[in-house]
Structure formats: C-alpha cells, structure tokens
Amino acid sequence: MTRNALCGVAVASLLLAGCSTQTANGESTLTELPTSTVRMPRHVDQSDRPQVIFDPCLDIPDSTLTAAGYDPTSEKNADFKGGSYTFLGCSYDSFHRPEGFYYGMNVLSGNISFAEEQEKKKDHSTPIDINGRRGLLIFDSTVTDYCELSVETSYGVLGFTRSIFSDHAGPAPVSEWCTGLEDTARTYEPLIPKGD
C-alpha cells in the first residue's frame, strides 16, 4: 500500500492519531494528524455573524469567579439563542457582603458588533478602557440598583449586567450601583481569546 493510501485510510477513519508512512528503505514512521483546539459553540444562529468563541459557562474558571467575589456554585444558564444573533451566558451570585447586600450578575458573550452596542446604549454609556480593549460603562439612573458594562471582542462583545440585592428596605445608594464592575471586567478580560 502506498504512503498516500495509508494516510487516506487513517483520515477516513478519524479514529487514528496519525498515519504510517514508509520510507524508501522500508522503515515506518508515524505522522501526527493536526488536531483542532477550537470548540464548536453550544449555539450557532442563522446569521453570517462570527461564531461566539468565548463561552462564560465553560471558559471562566471557578478560581477567577471566586477572585472576583462570585460563588461558582450559583451558576445558572443565561443563554439567548436568537435567529440573527447569539449570546452565550451564565449568571452568578456574589458572596454576601458585610454591608448587607450581594450582586447578581450575568456574563453574556455575543456576536453583535461593538458598534451596534454603542448605538443601542448611546444615551446611557461612557467609553472606558478594559485592559486595552474598548468598553462601555452603561448606567441608567432610572433602572434602580443596576449597571452594565460591555467589552469589545474579535467576535462581538462580552457584556456584564449586574443587579444589587439588599437586606435593607429601599435601593442601594446610586454611587454603589456600578462600583467594582470595571474591576470585575478587568479580571475576566484576560480569558477572552486574543483573535483581534
């Protein structure tokens, strides 16, 4: 059997790690086939937008969540599977804070463009920098105990939506609504693939 035929059988089976080649003197060697390190997204929409290559549910280690003050055991799915765009996401609760409140946060990785996000949030956003990436801090004083942040990625945006839940009656002070959210985004940003 020729070298090409041997490799063809191995590729066709997709079960072998490589294929055998035979040199002119009759010795056999093993040639490694390339393996893909890219994971298919859990959801793919019907658009021509880029695939969402960072999945908060799979790509944020428990140690990073804990370092940012969030409880990994509180994870819940928060995906949005649209026909024209996709958001892969998970929600997390922070550890209870001594001040008598905790945060509930969604981390959403989507394939809408950063320009679309800017346009959508233009009335309530401020441009910021997150570890060298463009970002938006989104604050609307009419939405009580709530703040958002978006970071530009190669495939679209990574968004954070955060609510404050208090042990006390009434809302938290307005000054607290966005406190620490930029630090959280800076903690997670290094995990985003550097494809841009």
Side-chain angles (χ1 to χ4, degrees):
M1 187 176 281
T2 67
R3 178 178 9 177
N4 290 341
L6 282 170
C7 285
V9 169
V11 170
S13 71
L14 296 178
L15 298 174
L16 299 176
C19 60
S20 176
T21 60
Q22 194 167 20
T23 62
N25 64 6
E27 295 176 3
S28 291
T29 60
L30 186 65
T31 304
E32 292 295 322
L33 295 175
T35 57
S36 174
T37 58
V38 177
R39 178 184 61 237
M40 283 298 295
R42 288 183 293 118
H43 304 294
V44 177
D45 57 54
Q46 302 304 310
S47 75
D48 59 356
R49 295 174 183 270
Q51 292 184 353
V52 180
I53 58 173
F54 178 75
D55 188 335
C57 302
L58 302 175
D59 297 328
I60 301 176
D62 288 354
S63 58
T64 302
L65 289 165
T66 302
Y70 289 85
D71 181 359
T73 66
S74 69
E75 181 178 281
K76 295 181 184 67
N77 187 279
D79 293 343
F80 176 83
K81 301 171 275 187
S84 59
Y85 58 89
T86 296
F87 277 91
L88 302 179
C90 274
S91 66
Y92 304 93
D93 293 335
S94 73
F95 296 108
H96 203 83
R97 298 177 63 89
E99 299 89 347
F101 67 89
Y102 72 94
Y103 298 121
M105 181 177 67
N106 292 322
V107 184
L108 303 163
S109 187
N111 59 358
I112 65 167
S113 69
F114 189 71
E116 289 174 292
E117 182 77 343
Q118 287 176 306
E119 178 60 27
K120 182 180 175 185
K121 309 290 184 172
K122 65 183 178 184
D123 294 335
H124 304 288
S125 64
T126 303
I128 57 172
D129 179 278
I130 301 295
N131 299 343
R133 292 181 187 263
R134 291 193 300 169
L136 297 172
L137 184 64
I138 303 154
F139 173 76
D140 182 350
S141 62
T142 66
V143 184
T144 306
D145 291 341
Y146 184 78
C147 190
E148 294 183 45
L149 190 151
S150 293
V151 179
E152 184 176 31
T153 70
S154 61
Y155 57 86
V157 295
L158 182 66
F160 301 83
T161 64
R162 192 185 74 181
S163 297
I164 300 175
F165 300 97
S166 177
D167 293 343
H168 317 105
V174 174
S175 61
E176 293 291 324
W177 294 3
C178 293
T179 297
L181 191 54
E182 290 183 53
D183 294 334
T184 299
R186 289 189 180 98
T187 300
Y188 293 4
E189 184 280 332
L191 302 171
I192 303 170
K194 303 288 193 258
D196 47 353

